[in-house]
Amino acid sequence: MSGYPVDVTPRRRLADASLAVVIGALVMTVAAFDADTTAVDDALIALASAALAFYQTAPRAVLAVATVAEAAYVLHAHPGPVAGLPVLAAMHTAARAGHRGWAAGAGGLFLAAYFATGPTTQQVVERTALIAGWFLCAVVTGLADRNWQAYLRQTEQRALEAERTREEAALRRAGEERLRIARELHDSLTHSISIVKLQAGVAVHLARKRGEEVPPALLAIQEAGGEAMRELRATLEILRTTEEPTGTPELLVERACAAGLAVELAVTGEERPLAATVDRAVYRIVQEALTNAARHAGPAKVSVQLDYGDEDLTISVEDDGAARPDCPLKPGIGLTGMRERVTALGGTLHTAPRAEGGFAVRAELPLGEAG
């Protein structure tokens, strides 16, 4: 109802109180040189000035208190135009809050009280006209400030809306591009891989039917075709969804064990919820490391360890497979994507063959707030 937020920061309250003290000190200083000023007048000035400290939360109440107190002071002591400063400030803040009628009414009440105090008609007209001009300026500047604040809010809102619209448009274009890539992959690769897998399966079936030994290369082609189809389906599912699928390292270890890979999982430190981006990164790192172990390590044992520290999480995936330190490592798409994901989160990644044989993946990710 007041036009201002109810919760005002301590710094703003201090600024409001300082303004009230300055105005009160100025009016009291001028009143001190008037021989007709009494303790009652000082109390009225103090009341009107002190009320200004609360104009942020109750501008109409402040306007009423300042106007009544200063009108009583004017009628009692017949001071100069400076006595109208508290009412001037209260009118400005009331107009700024949107209470134009209240500000005009308070100004009229104070001017009526001041009009009755002049010793001569000329002095009454001059002083009343002067204060009326001040009050008019206070109302006008209050309205101008209110309009300016409204303009700033609208500008900020339009900027936020434009930014949100750009983000939505970018997401929409990204989604359309993913769908286009998914269609291209499906149309160009699925048919060809299916034909290769089918031909290999027919050749294996005919060889076994004739009682011949199936060539290992043919079996490898059949198995590779099936694996390629599964990976292609998984890739198409990722491209056709708006959110990246996720899971838990425990689920990945269970799947790997079910597929015949000997995997052990160990979790050390205080396990706790992770931020969404970190959680997805952990899932993808473990998934890629287990996939590489299944493809290249052979009949090996794999250990997965998650170490929760105070500020970071360390993921270690090691196997005792066929990799050797003397063999140069040529990172593929999986390892490159893993490194990009870790770097984007401000972490570090180390991938290399182990000195005792096998391959090791070690990633350190800074822990964020759980979302």
Side-chain angles (χ1 to χ4, degrees):
M1 293 295 293
S2 64
Y4 289 96
V6 175
D7 295 331
V8 183
T9 61
R11 179 179 296 181
R12 191 55 188 266
R13 287 191 180 277
L14 180 60
D16 297 342
S18 301
L19 175 64
V21 170
V22 170
I23 292 179
L26 181 60
V27 177
M28 281 194 172
T29 300
V30 175
F33 292 96
D34 190 351
D36 296 333
T37 303
T38 64
V40 175
D41 299 323
D42 292 336
L44 291 172
I45 296 173
L47 176 62
S49 302
L52 296 176
F54 303 96
Y55 77 89
Q56 292 282 348
T57 54
R60 288 183 295 185
V62 169
L63 178 64
V65 172
T67 303
V68 172
E70 285 300 297
Y73 165 55
V74 166
L75 291 173
H76 183 264
H78 308 288
V82 178
L85 284 181
V87 182
L88 180 72
M91 288 178 61
H92 172 79
T93 56
R96 185 169 178 261
H99 308 304
R100 295 181 297 243
W102 284 72
L109 176 62
F110 182 82
L111 288 175
Y114 196 83
F115 188 81
T117 62
T120 64
T121 303
Q122 182 178 0
Q123 291 181 348
V124 169
V125 173
E126 291 177 353
R127 292 184 178 182
T128 305
L130 176 63
I131 297 179
W134 289 357
F135 286 179
L136 180 61
C137 290
V139 174
V140 171
T141 55
L143 293 176
D145 186 59
R146 174 180 173 84
N147 293 334
W148 175 250
Q149 294 297 330
Y151 170 75
L152 291 180
R153 287 193 296 269
Q154 291 176 0
T155 302
E156 182 180 2
Q157 197 170 26
R158 285 196 297 267
L160 293 175
E161 181 67 19
E163 183 178 359
R164 184 183 64 83
T165 303
R166 285 195 299 269
E167 291 178 354
E168 291 178 352
L171 290 175
R172 184 176 64 253
R173 288 194 297 268
E176 293 173 353
E177 183 65 14
R178 284 199 302 270
L179 291 177
R180 188 190 67 80
I181 295 173
R183 287 193 299 267
E184 293 293 333
L185 287 176
H186 181 273
D187 296 340
S188 62
L189 295 181
T190 304
H191 178 72
S192 300
I193 296 176
S194 299
I195 293 299
V196 171
K197 184 175 180 296
L198 177 62
Q199 294 291 342
V202 171
V204 170
H205 174 72
L206 292 178
R208 288 173 177 171
K209 186 176 181 179
R210 291 192 296 262
E212 301 175 356
E213 183 179 358
V214 180
L218 194 58
L219 293 175
I221 292 174
Q222 184 184 29
E223 182 179 356
E227 180 66 20
M229 285 297 296
R230 286 191 294 271
E231 291 186 0
L232 182 58
R233 291 193 190 97
T235 302
L236 293 177
E237 289 179 0
I238 293 175
L239 290 174
R240 290 182 181 277
T241 55
T242 57
E243 294 185 358
E244 188 177 10
T246 186
T248 62
E250 290 82 0
L251 180 61
L252 292 173
V253 170
E254 291 178 4
R255 291 176 180 173
C257 291
L261 188 65
V263 186
E264 294 182 354
L265 174 64
V267 179
T268 58
E270 182 182 354
E271 188 173 2
R272 52 192 180 275
L274 303 175
T277 52
V278 178
D279 190 47
R280 285 195 296 268
V282 173
Y283 179 83
R284 287 306 189 191
I285 292 170
V286 175
Q287 182 186 47
E288 181 64 26
L290 291 179
T291 301
N292 289 339
R295 289 179 180 175
H296 309 298
K301 294 182 179 180
V302 184
S303 64
V304 179
Q305 183 173 358
L306 304 179
D307 183 16
Y308 287 83
D310 294 334
E311 298 180 354
D312 53 19
L313 171 64
T314 303
I315 306 105
S316 298
V317 182
E318 299 180 351
D319 64 71
D320 57 358
R324 293 292 180 268
D326 53 351
C327 296
L329 174 65
K330 184 178 180 181
I333 296 177
L335 290 179
T336 301
M338 185 190 303
R339 185 174 301 279
E340 292 174 350
R341 187 184 297 272
V342 171
T343 303
L345 294 176
T348 58
L349 177 69
H350 177 73
T351 57
R354 303 167 62 203
E356 60 272 26
F359 197 79
V361 175
R362 179 183 176 88
E364 295 182 1
L365 298 175
L367 292 175
E369 295 293 334

